[in-house]
Amino acid sequence: MATTLVQQQQRLAAARQRFAEGGSLPAQLLAPAVLRSWERSRQAGVRPQQAPQYSSLAQRKLRLDDPADRLLARCVRQDMDDLWAAFGGRRWTLFCVNRDGLIIAQREHGLGDEAILRPIQVGRRVREIEIGTTAPSCALAEDAPALVRGNEHYLDEFSQVYCLSVPLHGADGEVLGALDITGIGERDSELLRGYFRQAALSIENQLIQQQRDCHLLAVQHDARWLGTPLQGVLAVGEDGQLRAANSVARRIFGLPRNGVLPLMTLDGVFAEASVHQRRRLLQAGPVHRVPLRADSALQVQYLRGPVRARASTQAVAAVSSLRVQGVQAVHEAVAAHAGNLSAAARQLGISRTTLYRKLQQAG
């Protein structure tokens, strides 16, 4: 088997070079998703023999400016820790990219030992136009799990690299990013796919829980899957309107795989249920069986109600009060020093530039 794998990799390398020069590929040589990525890489002008052209890494690489990136990074944290504990190690890295290929979270150990992996860091992008075909680029483009091994990568330098990715979805089923494991060596791909798919579902469930102004319901045909990544989750407004559904719930109810949900109410979804059963849907209590259609039923669990923004008025008032007090302190310090900004700044413990800016803001 090892000899067969070596021969396959040699065949891939030769075919890739001919492909880069404009030739065609033998049928069935590549998975369709990888083939399409090779085509995009060639069209972008990437050459197999070139070195990876990573974008420069900003000095503030650990700071995520986009709130959506920060939210996704928070939601992937626990699942990345669990996956890293199970599959991580030297010569491997686990990371999450956003929809644009920007690495926003990472787990790694000993990447300094592998020069080819060292540039993979938070704040850097992994895109086909820079490094050719990789599993994250395939997962993002195809909205499907992707495995790219050895010479299935478009660059010669990645001939020893193994990477597997799964897409991550938001509350409307849209692709938000991808979760990836990359390293030198081999892994049981079927095993990894299963664990990474469950992690992607878990992360999706955490993202849908950010619908704070909604009731959340968990649904499944089999109650054993409630409380796991395999549960369906519905976000329901105070008016009973469905606001969002995770991918499992979309499959259960036959809803579109992605996009904003069609206008529908919880009562409409469970039209076969009795009035009493529908009333219980948005009430805390034990798991209960609710008819879905004449020939099937669901186990339903109420997770939580809308999360109110407590004391929001008081918080706004407090911030406003602090701002007024700060402006007043600036004016008093300037007046006490007869307009000497340097002396006033020293009294307040701020720079002269900051003081001047505060005066401008105060008008």
Side-chain angles (χ1 to χ4, degrees), residues 168-177 204 207-208 244-247 250:
L168 302 175
H169 299 99
D172 290 329
E174 75 280 23
V175 176
L176 293 184
E204 182 183 354
L207 286 164
I208 205 168
N246 71 351
S247 55
R250 286 172 180 259

Side-chain angles (χ1 to χ4, degrees), residues 207-275:
L207 286 164
I208 205 168
Q209 289 178 24
Q210 305 306 310
Q211 304 281 323
R212 300 176 65 83
D213 59 342
C214 294
H215 298 272
L216 293 184
L217 299 179
V219 297
Q220 250 298 353
H221 292 288
D222 189 331
R224 291 175 298 179
W225 303 128
L226 294 175
T228 77
L230 299 178
Q231 69 182 3
V233 180
L234 294 175
V236 184
E238 294 273 36
D239 56 359
Q241 191 82 25
L242 262 62
R243 301 287 180 81
N246 71 351
S247 55
V248 174
R250 286 172 180 259
R251 287 197 295 270
I252 289 173
F253 294 107
L255 299 171
R257 183 183 178 191
N258 51 50
V260 177
L261 294 177
L263 292 176
M264 55 196 312
T265 64
L266 201 58
D267 285 349
V269 170
F270 289 101
E272 295 293 325
S274 68
V275 174

Side-chain angles (χ1 to χ4, degrees), residues 94-115:
L94 177 70
F95 59 90
C96 175
V97 298
N98 68 9
R99 72 189 71 187
D100 297 318
L102 176 71
I103 300 174
I104 62 170
Q106 184 180 30
R107 301 291 179 273
E108 56 86 10
H109 174 67
L111 290 189
D113 299 337
E114 294 294 339

Side-chain angles (χ1 to χ4, degrees), residues 257-328:
R257 183 183 178 191
N258 51 50
V260 177
L261 294 177
L263 292 176
M264 55 196 312
T265 64
L266 201 58
D267 285 349
V269 170
F270 289 101
E272 295 293 325
S274 68
V275 174
H276 174 68
Q277 288 171 325
R278 290 201 298 269
R279 188 181 300 122
R280 288 185 62 195
L281 290 171
L282 297 184
Q283 295 177 359
V287 176
H288 56 287
R289 180 181 180 276
V290 182
L292 179 60
R293 289 179 287 273
D295 58 349
S296 66
L298 289 177
Q299 302 295 325
V300 180
Q301 182 177 21
Y302 184 77
L303 297 178
R304 67 156 172 80
V307 179
R308 310 297 182 189
R310 296 180 179 176
S312 57
T313 303
Q314 293 92 324
V316 171
V319 171
S320 178
S321 176
L322 287 172
R323 185 178 294 114
V324 170
Q325 292 176 22
V327 171
Q328 183 178 348

Side-chain angles (χ1 to χ4, degrees), residues 86-200:
F87 302 109
R90 288 191 176 277
R91 309 176 79 195
W92 290 86
T93 181
L94 177 70
F95 59 90
C96 175
V97 298
N98 68 9
R99 72 189 71 187
D100 297 318
L102 176 71
I103 300 174
I104 62 170
Q106 184 180 30
R107 301 291 179 273
E108 56 86 10
H109 174 67
L111 290 189
D113 299 337
E114 294 294 339
I116 193 64
L117 301 181
R118 203 174 301 139
I120 302 175
Q121 300 178 40
V122 171
R124 189 161 267 145
R125 297 184 189 276
V126 287
R127 298 180 296 185
E128 289 166 333
I129 61 174
E130 296 160 342
I131 62 174
T133 298
T134 62
S137 62
C138 290
L140 291 172
E142 303 287 333
D143 188 9
L147 171 65
V148 180
R149 296 188 296 182
N151 284 317
E152 291 175 345
H153 291 90
Y154 198 65
L155 295 188
D156 295 342
E157 262 191 64
F158 294 144
S159 62
Q160 301 300 315
V161 174
Y162 172 108
C163 63
L164 179 144
S165 295
V166 292
L168 302 175
H169 299 99
D172 290 329
E174 75 280 23
V175 176
L176 293 184
L179 189 61
D180 177 275
I181 185 168
T182 290
I184 308 298
E186 280 293 319
R187 288 286 193 268
D188 184 325
S189 300
E190 288 305 311
L191 183 68
L192 277 183
R193 278 195 187 99
Y195 278 101
F196 271 67
R197 281 171 175 161
Q198 287 201 50

Side-chain angles (χ1 to χ4, degrees), residues 25-43:
L25 292 173
Q28 312 302 319
L29 180 67
L30 293 171
V34 178
L35 172 58
R36 286 189 285 271
S37 180
W38 274 28
E39 291 170 343
R40 290 191 297 269
S41 298
R42 181 174 67 178
Q43 186 175 7

Side-chain angles (χ1 to χ4, degrees), residues 26-94:
Q28 312 302 319
L29 180 67
L30 293 171
V34 178
L35 172 58
R36 286 189 285 271
S37 180
W38 274 28
E39 291 170 343
R40 290 191 297 269
S41 298
R42 181 174 67 178
Q43 186 175 7
V46 179
R47 301 289 296 174
Q49 64 272 20
Q50 76 180 46
Q53 304 295 316
Y54 291 104
S55 56
S56 59
L57 193 62
Q59 292 296 318
R60 299 179 300 159
K61 66 185 182 77
L62 295 180
R63 177 179 172 181
L64 300 175
D65 296 323
D66 189 333
D69 289 343
R70 293 197 295 270
L71 173 60
L72 183 57
R74 287 198 306 272
C75 289
V76 303
R77 184 179 302 131
Q78 184 59 58
D79 285 281
M80 288 185 66
D81 287 345
D82 293 342
L83 288 170
W84 184 249
F87 302 109
R90 288 191 176 277
R91 309 176 79 195
W92 290 86
T93 181
L94 177 70

